[in-house]
Amino acid sequence: MRYDRAVTELGRRERKKLQTRQSIADAALELFLARGFDDVGVKEIADRADVSVTTLFKHFPSKESLLFDEDEQQEAELVGAVRNRPAGQSIPRALRDHFVRMSYGHVDHPLFGAFNRLVQETPALRTYEHKMWMRHQEGLARAIAEEVGVPADDVRCVALARFALESRDVIFGREDREQAADEVFGLLEHGWAADQQS
Amino acid sequence: MRYDRAVTELGRRERKKLQTRQSIADAALELFLARGFDDVGVKEIADRADVSVTTLFKHFPSKESLLFDEDEQQEAELVGAVRNRPAGQSIPRALRDHFVRMSYGHVDHPLFGAFNRLVQETPALRTYEHKMWMRHQEGLARAIAEEVGVPADDVRCVALARFALESRDVIFGREDREQAADEVFGLLEHGWAADQQS
DNA sequence: CTTCAAAAGTTGAGTGGTTGCACTTTTGTA
DNA sequence: TACAAAAGTGCAACCACTCAACTTTTGAAG
């Protein structure tokens, strides 16, 4: 047994598998961008990627998933933003900064704009992406709880994690994202009563 | 034209329509409770209600919707809780009270427990119900904004509405709902920084 | 009471995503 | 070289949902 190569280099077999997966994803992206999510059938995507429909569904669990890949990275960044925040900075503030940073990223990539437009325009894709994003709630809540020194299922931590994640769509839908982020996370940090008389 | 009866008494025709609708909903509820949402097909429900599948889908837009009816009422109560809150009470506090009140309701109804269990156990139903619940965001946000005297799309109001609605699932999943409501809405009212050193 | 049009309902065929099964091909390793 | 696991294929089927064409019911105007 030669684990050495198998582990590090991923072997010809796995490479081919990834390659198949990639060509399916590529075909899907092209077609969806060109004609819209609902006007392209799985069959057509499979044909263009030169695989059978059955094979397509062995690589992806659903039509929507063709457009997104796993993102351990996003959760890691979220958790990192909380864990490695500057000394003395509050957790909501750290999350606010992270979101603002996020909103600037990828601005350059040409496909990114069209991709985002496609997702926002297609209800099925919006809800799918939102669901994926919300899966980070548990991980984020745990990070916050550890940071504060309370049990992982502390209600306030869970709530803060959920609210922070939910606020993304609120903020990204606004013209001035930076100011929106200030107001929304200000609400989480200092509360509603802070600068409201009623 | 005799509007008088048509408007108030609803006419034989509409009555029959409602009756058909009701028998479909009844059939669905019975079957779902007995064997679970995923193990009952629409065909079987239509058969038991003695209508065709096509007719079923003329009354309900989807399989999930067979279990829920329209709820203008819930939104009205939500808005009412904000609008008619005791003088001097904050909006988050009013919402907290409303949620606590909600969590006590329906405890007596025998079917209600089984129904809730079914919904919680079935992912498709959970997400459907959550989506319905979240449709009240806009109405609630508008009520809050009017109450405070700012434009209806004010970010803080939208965010507060969203967070409040989202917090329902967080709170209802806890043992001590009342305390959970205190903590979560306390976060919204007084902020994270208020009683947290970091 | 008849007539007429709208609405409810039916039937049956079809679409599109998704799964299961039985089979062949490829590929890593003993 | 041989073998077993894994990848891929083709086909049939299931299920939620839609469409088009047709029949039945029903409310109300003449």
Side-chain angles (χ1 to χ4, degrees):
Chain A
M1 286 188 269
R2 302 190 309 185
Y3 284 129
D4 45 356
R5 208 189 54 157
V7 173
T8 56
E9 246 193 41
L10 218 53
R12 186 178 313 163
R13 198 190 200 123
E14 330 265 324
R15 232 180 305 132
K16 265 216 156 173
K17 186 173 181 179
L18 281 186
Q19 197 174 318
T20 306
R21 184 191 157 87
Q22 192 58 44
S23 56
I24 296 172
D26 288 348
L29 181 62
E30 283 180 49
L31 288 172
F32 286 154
L33 285 180
R35 312 214 315 269
F37 183 75
D38 295 316
D39 288 346
V40 178
V42 208
K43 176 76 164 35
E44 192 178 351
I45 297 169
D47 284 349
R48 175 181 268 237
D50 208 41
V51 296
S52 70
V53 177
T54 313
T55 302
L56 183 152
F57 277 108
K58 241 170 219 159
H59 286 271
F60 298 90
S62 70
K63 188 184 177 188
E64 291 85 24
S65 69
L66 289 166
L67 278 167
F68 305 93
D69 32 329
E70 299 303 331
D71 55 343
E72 314 134 2
Q73 201 196 342
Q74 274 192 316
E75 181 158 335
E77 288 175 9
L78 234 20
V79 169
V82 169
R83 288 231 150 90
N84 312 322
R85 90 204 103 107
Q89 189 179 60
S90 80
I91 292 173
R93 177 72 200 183
L95 286 168
R96 186 219 85 114
D97 289 352
H98 180 61
F99 276 53
V100 170
R101 249 178 278 126
M102 269 181 61
S103 83
Y104 289 143
H106 300 285
V107 191
D108 44 338
H109 200 302
L111 279 181
F112 195 73
F115 175 79
N116 263 357
R117 221 169 305 124
L118 176 68
V119 174
Q120 296 309 318
E121 277 170 0
T122 314
L125 292 177
R126 274 187 74 135
T127 67
Y128 184 84
E129 204 228 357
H130 187 256
K131 200 172 283 186
M132 282 192 75
W133 176 243
M134 279 301 150
R135 288 207 197 102
H136 302 138
Q137 181 185 320
E138 198 184 324
L140 181 56
R142 193 173 331 120
I144 296 174
E146 279 179 21
E147 210 54 31
V148 180
V150 298
D153 67 334
D154 179 87
V155 211
R156 294 183 81 238
C157 298
V158 171
L160 179 61
R162 180 162 199 156
F163 294 161
L165 292 175
E166 281 289 340
S167 70
R168 188 193 60 164
D169 288 4
V170 175
I171 292 169
F172 280 28
R174 296 278 160 165
E175 287 291 323
D176 188 342
R177 291 175 170 187
E178 204 151 340
Q179 196 205 324
D182 278 339
E183 300 199 37
V184 173
F185 279 95
L187 170 60
L188 292 176
E189 190 166 12
H190 304 113
W192 174 264
D195 51 358
Q196 208 82 37
Q197 54 279 37
S198 55
Chain B
M1 284 187 268
R2 304 188 310 187
Y3 284 127
D4 45 356
R5 211 190 52 157
V7 172
T8 55
E9 248 193 41
L10 219 53
R12 187 179 313 161
R13 197 187 200 129
E14 331 266 323
R15 233 181 305 132
K16 264 216 157 171
K17 185 172 182 184
L18 281 186
Q19 199 174 316
T20 307
R21 184 192 158 89
Q22 193 58 44
S23 57
I24 295 172
D26 289 347
L29 181 62
E30 283 180 50
L31 288 172
F32 286 154
L33 284 180
R35 312 214 315 270
F37 184 75
D38 295 316
D39 287 347
V40 178
V42 258
K43 176 74 166 37
E44 192 178 351
I45 297 169
D47 283 350
R48 173 181 271 237
D50 207 41
V51 296
S52 70
V53 177
T54 314
T55 301
L56 184 152
F57 279 109
K58 239 171 220 159
H59 286 271
F60 299 89
S62 69
K63 187 183 177 188
E64 291 85 17
S65 68
L66 289 166
L67 279 167
F68 304 93
D69 31 330
E70 298 304 332
D71 54 344
E72 315 136 2
Q73 202 197 342
Q74 275 193 316
E75 180 158 334
E77 288 176 9
L78 234 19
V79 170
V82 169
R83 287 230 148 94
N84 312 322
R85 89 204 105 109
Q89 189 180 61
S90 79
I91 291 173
R93 178 72 201 184
L95 286 168
R96 186 221 86 115
D97 288 352
H98 180 61
F99 276 53
V100 170
R101 250 178 280 128
M102 271 182 59
S103 82
Y104 289 143
H106 300 284
V107 192
D108 44 337
H109 199 303
L111 279 181
F112 195 73
F115 175 79
N116 262 356
R117 221 171 304 123
L118 176 68
V119 174
Q120 297 308 318
E121 277 170 358
T122 314
L125 292 178
R126 276 187 72 136
T127 68
Y128 184 84
E129 205 230 356
H130 187 256
K131 200 173 284 186
M132 282 192 74
W133 177 243
M134 280 301 151
R135 287 205 198 103
H136 301 139
Q137 181 185 322
E138 197 183 325
L140 182 56
R142 192 172 332 118
I144 295 175
E146 279 179 20
E147 220 37 47
V148 181
V150 298
D153 67 333
D154 179 86
V155 211
R156 293 183 80 237
C157 297
V158 171
L160 179 61
R162 179 160 198 157
F163 294 161
L165 291 175
E166 281 289 340
S167 70
R168 189 194 60 164
D169 289 4
V170 174
I171 291 169
F172 281 28
R174 297 278 161 165
E175 287 291 324
D176 187 342
R177 292 176 170 186
E178 204 149 341
Q179 196 205 325
D182 278 338
E183 300 197 36
V184 172
F185 279 95
L187 170 59
L188 292 177
E189 190 165 12
H190 304 114
W192 175 263
D195 51 359
Q196 208 81 36
Q197 52 279 40
S198 57

